[in-house]
Amino acid sequence: MIFTLVRIELMKIFRKWRTYIGFIAIGILVPLLHLAMYLEGQNSIDFVTRGLRESFILVGNLLNGYWISYIILNALTIHIPFLITLVAADLLAGEATAGTYRILVTRPVSRMQIVTSKFIAGMIYTGSLILWLAVMSLVVGLIIFGSGELIVAGSQAIIIFDKSDVLWRFFLAYGFGILSMSVVCSLAILFSSLVENAIGPIVSTMAIIIIFIILSAFDVAILRELKPYLFTNYILSWREFFNDPLDLTEIAKSVLILSGHIILFFTATSFIFYKKDILS
Amino acid sequence: MNSSETVIEISGLSKRFKEVLAVNEVEFKVHKGDVFGFLGPNGAGKSTTIRMILSLISPTAGSIKIFGKSLNENRKEILTNIGAIVEKPDFYLYLPAIKNLEILAKISGKEISKKRILELLELVGLKDRAKSKVKTFSHGMKQRLGIAQALLHNPELIVLDEPTTGLDPQGVKEIRDLIIHLSKEENKTIFLSSHVLSEIELVANRMLIINKGSKVVEGEVNQLLSSKTLKVTIEVENVETAKKVLESTRWNNQIESITGKKFSINMENKDIPEVNKYLVENGVMVNALVPVRSLEDYFLTITAGVK
């Protein structure tokens, strides 16, 4: 039954116009970024490598598809969460707004199955949006700019990856991106279970993300202690895949914390929805 | 299951929303084959009770047994055999009618063929609009689609919460005929809520009246209604003559209002032919005799009797 429900949820998601806002936004924004990089990208590369050029001679194609994809992946902080929230916040609240809870919950399916199917469908949507981002930024970027060495400015050093050593890092980074964006999706579904209109969950989810990011940005002792408990702190941990050597402990910690958040939000949503009186 | 078997058994059912006691220790039974009228004014607790029967909301106290089993413990099994319309019919507006039914068919717990879906669309007169998005449907069409989704899995029990709300007279008649068909021809048990007494009177064999969350009366429709006072509007050629003729009768004090050629008298059902005969025998030309029994009037009679 759960597969049937997931299929139905996916059909509902992909039959709605709002679902395509994210795909269209990425489809417009990423080519615009490509264009901007095509025109101005060399200046950015020169800025990043200005220190290096004093001591080394840099050869090869540094303004390549990998570098542009790396820049675009930073959109995972705010922009992509917003596009995910647009759909995820509507998953439960949308049923309340439309009054369709009544035809759904009076069928012989458990509320747990309904919530589970919504979570799975929401995550599939999240995954598809990140994959679309990957196609638009990495695949299209490689077609336009070609491949080359990836130059990454870390906190303590500048690392240059050989072009044969990059692709697998992107696969893992996008995979991690799907996980971190699934936390955003789960949080939006949790808020969605509390209300009867999707606007509230969209605003609440984005407000939490922005507040957490601001709190993370302040380097004050009391907030420093709070940092490990803010999930937004781990959203950009995909950057760990562009470290040499890989800090596997840090990556595993981030994966566990983000997965823990998904489980926590799922459990809370299931409990709320199980107890919920359907009055809409 | 034979006809004396209980399909719904409600005991001590209560629901409290913070300060408001929406349903207060309601008890009743619905037997197999019944068309059970669940009557009450707006805000009486009908929809809350129905939502509890369909597990949309959880009771604060009391128990619900359907098909002899506890709803709480056998929810899925029970819902496999219930079809329902709760308040207004809502669907996924961005999907065609047939897609909505296909979705619901897949989660109805029974194998439902596409042929069955098309048959139901034909039954409710929507076969030609099967591929139209529900957002293009009128209220009446949505209500008919609501009936189709309730019948989709051929349930034993059909719960209809105010199914004629917002329908034109033709639509009301169609729903009424469908209820009679389902009851008589297909032997379904029907739980029908309404705030219109005449609607219940025409189709139900048993009924319960609920007010302010509490049960007021329950029983056979014929027995409950036959002994109670009706308001009868009588249209005559000369209302003054009629008044004079009735002056010496026991009905004189029951005259309620006079408007043009019409006047209203409160009387029992059995008195109607007698009044008609009396007026005609005394030279009054009677054009029409229309009994009107509003829920409010009946309800006042019932509560007056209780006091």
Side-chain angles (χ1 to χ4, degrees):
Chain A
M1 177 58 83
I2 198 72
F3 292 111
T4 306
L5 281 168
V6 171
R7 278 212 311 275
I8 289 170
E9 287 306 323
L10 285 173
M11 190 196 66
K12 287 194 278 188
I13 286 176
F14 286 100
R15 289 271 190 140
K16 279 185 188 170
W17 161 242
R18 72 164 64 198
T19 303
Y20 297 96
I21 293 174
F23 291 94
I24 293 167
I26 290 171
I28 293 171
L29 277 172
V30 175
L32 279 177
L33 285 169
H34 282 148
L35 181 67
M37 285 295 165
Y38 192 78
L39 299 173
E40 300 280 337
Q42 195 55 50
N43 294 342
S44 303
I45 288 285
D46 291 345
F47 179 77
V48 172
T49 59
R50 67 193 183 284
L52 281 177
R53 286 183 192 277
E54 288 169 11
S55 316
F56 302 96
I57 298 167
L58 299 174
V59 291
N61 177 22
L62 289 181
L63 179 63
N64 56 53
Y66 292 138
W67 191 75
I68 288 161
S69 281
Y70 183 85
I71 301 294
I72 291 172
L73 254 176
N74 285 285
L76 287 179
T77 322
I78 296 281
H79 310 86
I80 304 298
F82 178 70
L83 299 176
I84 286 164
T85 305
L86 277 180
V87 169
D90 193 50
L91 285 176
L92 283 165
E95 301 274 2
T97 310
T100 44
Y101 264 149
R102 296 196 300 271
I103 51 170
L104 195 60
V105 178
T106 52
R107 300 284 150 179
V109 287
S110 71
R111 293 192 180 200
M112 181 75 171
Q113 284 175 322
I114 293 171
V115 169
T116 307
S117 64
K118 299 243 179 222
F119 264 79
I120 294 172
M123 284 175 192
I124 292 173
Y125 163 75
T126 303
S128 63
L129 197 68
I130 300 296
L131 287 177
W132 176 239
L133 180 70
V135 168
M136 287 305 294
S137 61
L138 188 62
V139 178
V140 177
L142 285 172
I143 291 168
I144 297 172
F145 297 93
S147 71
E149 284 70 35
L150 174 65
I151 185 159
V152 173
S155 55
Q156 292 172 350
I158 287 182
I159 306 167
I160 300 175
F161 293 101
D162 185 77
K163 62 181 173 187
S164 63
D165 189 32
V166 178
L167 205 53
W168 67 272
R169 293 178 193 273
F170 271 108
F171 281 128
L172 291 175
Y174 280 114
F176 188 89
I178 291 173
L179 176 70
S180 63
M181 291 302 102
S182 293
V183 178
V184 175
C185 174
S186 310
L187 181 64
I189 299 175
L190 168 61
F191 286 136
S192 179
S193 70
L194 295 168
V195 293
E196 299 189 351
N197 186 307
I199 304 293
I202 292 171
V203 174
S204 312
T205 308
M206 290 314 297
I208 283 195
I209 291 170
I210 291 165
I211 290 167
F212 280 14
I213 287 171
I214 292 170
L215 290 177
S216 306
F218 282 108
D219 201 16
V220 184
I222 189 166
L223 294 179
R224 219 175 291 140
E225 285 184 24
L226 196 65
K227 253 185 184 179
Y229 303 101
L230 307 177
F231 72 87
T232 48
N233 206 37
Y234 304 94
I235 284 181
L236 292 181
S237 292
W238 60 266
R239 288 175 178 163
E240 293 295 335
F241 293 105
F242 296 93
N243 237 333
D244 194 38
L246 286 183
D247 187 347
L248 290 174
T249 314
E250 193 57 37
I251 291 169
K253 186 182 152 197
S254 298
V255 168
L256 282 175
I257 287 172
L258 291 173
S259 305
H261 273 84
I262 293 172
I263 293 166
L264 177 74
F265 295 150
F266 171 74
T267 309
T269 310
S270 302
F271 180 76
I272 290 164
F273 193 63
Y274 182 75
K275 291 277 177 192
K276 191 181 182 76
D277 282 340
I278 308 293
L279 300 170
S280 57
Chain B
M1 200 180 260
N2 62 49
S3 61
S4 65
E5 275 188 82
T6 305
V7 173
I8 305 177
E9 186 177 354
I10 304 289
S11 350
L13 192 68
S14 298
K15 179 65 185 180
R16 180 178 283 281
F17 296 107
K18 292 180 181 166
E19 301 303 310
V20 180
L21 187 59
V23 176
N24 183 21
E25 295 192 5
V26 167
E27 302 205 353
F28 61 87
K29 284 181 182 177
V30 178
H31 304 292
K32 184 168 171 60
D34 274 352
V35 176
F36 189 89
F38 191 51
L39 202 62
N42 291 329
K46 302 188 297 293
S47 289
T48 305
T49 305
I50 284 178
R51 281 170 190 258
M52 286 192 276
I53 289 172
L54 295 170
S55 80
L56 286 167
I57 60 179
S58 51
T60 309
S63 76
I64 301 170
K65 278 188 178 176
I66 299 177
F67 308 123
K69 292 175 179 172
S70 161
L71 177 65
N72 206 23
E73 290 155 22
N74 303 275
R75 181 184 164 276
K76 273 193 186 179
E77 186 190 337
I78 288 169
L79 289 179
T80 308
N81 276 312
I82 300 182
I85 301 180
V86 187
E87 293 183 18
K88 61 186 171 58
D90 285 313
F91 291 93
Y92 300 106
L93 301 177
Y94 51 91
L95 296 177
I98 194 163
K99 207 68 183 165
N100 269 281
L101 293 188
E102 280 172 5
I103 285 178
L104 297 171
K106 281 177 188 163
I107 54 172
S108 290
K110 289 179 183 171
E111 280 295 317
I112 298 164
S113 65
K114 188 147 187 174
K115 187 173 162 241
R116 165 83 180 155
I117 294 172
L118 290 170
E119 278 170 5
L120 281 167
L121 284 169
E122 190 163 16
L123 177 76
V124 297
L126 290 174
K127 198 175 180 186
D128 293 342
R129 297 294 303 273
K131 289 181 179 169
S132 301
K133 286 185 179 174
V134 179
K135 68 180 171 190
T136 63
F137 281 17
S138 67
H139 177 78
M141 291 163 81
K142 283 185 203 164
Q143 195 71 284
R144 283 187 273 152
L145 189 60
I147 296 276
Q149 68 80 24
L151 301 177
L152 202 54
H153 48 301
N154 197 18
E156 287 177 41
L157 169 64
I158 298 164
V159 178
L160 303 172
D161 186 10
E162 312 245 8
T164 56
T165 305
L167 296 184
D168 57 22
Q170 179 63 26
V172 171
K173 188 182 177 303
E174 281 172 12
I175 299 280
R176 190 190 305 141
D177 291 345
L178 185 62
I179 291 169
I180 292 167
H181 167 81
L182 291 168
S183 168
K184 299 267 188 284
E185 308 299 323
E186 301 197 24
N187 201 27
K188 305 285 184 197
T189 305
I190 295 166
F191 186 89
L192 171 69
S193 94
S194 177
H195 62 272
V196 183
L197 180 62
S198 58
E199 201 172 88
I200 296 291
E201 194 181 354
L202 287 168
V203 294
N205 62 316
R206 293 180 63 239
M207 74 172 189
L208 178 151
I209 293 185
I210 185 173
N211 188 45
K212 292 178 184 166
S214 299
K215 182 167 98 174
V216 178
V217 69
E218 181 191 358
E220 299 284 329
V221 172
N222 291 341
Q223 284 176 9
L224 288 173
L225 297 184
S226 64
S227 61
K228 301 299 170 190
T229 307
L230 298 168
K231 184 194 282 183
V232 180
T233 303
I234 303 174
E235 189 184 326
V236 292
E237 281 300 315
N238 189 326
V239 85
E240 286 307 315
T241 313
K243 249 182 89 182
K244 207 170 271 177
V245 166
L246 291 173
E247 247 171 23
S248 57
T249 68
R250 62 192 160 98
W251 298 301
N252 189 42
N253 293 334
Q254 304 299 321
I255 296 176
E256 208 178 62
S257 61
I258 301 171
T259 328
K261 288 185 172 183
K262 291 178 185 172
F263 63 103
S264 301
I265 311 183
N266 290 319
M267 65 175 83
E268 288 189 12
N269 200 25
K270 62 181 170 57
D271 288 344
I272 296 173
E274 205 180 326
V275 170
N276 187 29
K277 188 178 171 213
Y278 188 79
L279 286 169
V280 173
E281 282 176 354
N282 286 280
V284 179
M285 299 296 283
V286 179
N287 293 333
L289 248 145
V290 185
V292 179
R293 186 159 33 202
S294 73
L295 176 58
E296 290 72 24
D297 292 337
Y298 180 69
F299 180 71
L300 287 171
T301 316
I302 291 281
T303 46
V306 170
K307 280 173 194 172

